[in-house]
Amino acid sequence: MQDCSDNLETPDWLDTVRWTPDGLVPAIAQDAETGDILMMAWMNRESLKLTAEEGHAVYWSRSRGKLWRKGETSGHEQVVRDIRLDCDEDVILLRVEQKGGIACHTGRRSCFYRSLKDGQWVSVDPVIKDPDAIYGSN
């Protein structure tokens, strides 16, 4: 990841982001080597700041209403190599090294594993590891 530690304490770079009315910004995780899109999640100011400081992806879980460190349960952490902001300043792109090769809670490499074929969503990517083996059965 680029060295921006000198500027992390000043909030100027966070003020540039155009947050939604509820204080969030969409964040896309992309494999830094292959360019594959792995997932999309939400970030708030705190999660984006922590991501920059720690070098590991930290998101905001809307369903749980709390910070979510990617891989905290599964071990499939995302080591951040680069953080980018789009031209409209309203989407974050994280270029990451995906530990374990699995980004999706379904046990797949990417959350974008379905493709529209003849008017139906079809799974086109295999499950790498059974989610029950990753998270335990419910």
Side-chain angles (χ1 to χ4, degrees):
M1 192 168 118
Q2 65 195 54
D3 184 16
C4 59
S5 57
D6 294 339
N7 298 323
L8 292 179
E9 295 305 316
T10 57
D12 293 349
W13 66 275
L14 286 168
D15 292 339
T16 303
V17 177
R18 294 179 189 226
W19 306 96
T20 64
D22 52 353
L24 301 175
V25 65
I28 298 167
Q30 178 185 42
D31 187 291
E33 285 190 32
T34 67
D36 293 343
I37 302 300
L38 301 174
M39 58 176 277
M40 179 274 179
W42 294 94
M43 297 180 110
N44 63 9
R45 283 180 74 95
E46 183 180 8
S47 65
L48 181 53
K49 185 174 186 291
L50 288 169
T51 296
E53 289 173 351
E54 297 174 6
H56 288 84
V58 180
Y59 299 106
W60 175 256
S61 173
R62 295 185 306 165
S63 61
R64 292 175 275 183
K66 67 178 191 172
L67 291 175
W68 157 45
R69 283 178 162 72
K70 179 67 176 157
E72 66 189 347
T73 306
S74 66
H76 301 137
E77 296 178 335
Q78 293 175 341
V79 179
V80 177
R81 300 294 180 216
D82 191 19
I83 300 174
R84 296 189 182 203
L85 181 64
D86 79 323
C87 59
D88 293 326
E89 301 173 338
D90 61 359
V91 178
I92 298 294
L93 175 66
L94 300 178
R95 300 190 68 226
V96 303
E97 175 189 341
Q98 180 64 59
K99 296 296 185 180
I102 297 172
C104 186
H105 74 281
T106 66
R108 292 177 174 86
R109 172 164 167 66
S110 169
C111 293
F112 297 96
Y113 62 88
R114 292 179 274 197
S115 181
L116 186 61
K117 307 276 186 193
D118 298 321
Q120 295 188 349
W121 293 111
V122 178
S123 293
V124 294
D125 293 335
V127 172
I128 297 170
K129 188 171 184 179
D130 185 320
D132 286 343
I134 298 170
Y135 303 104
S137 58
N138 294 334

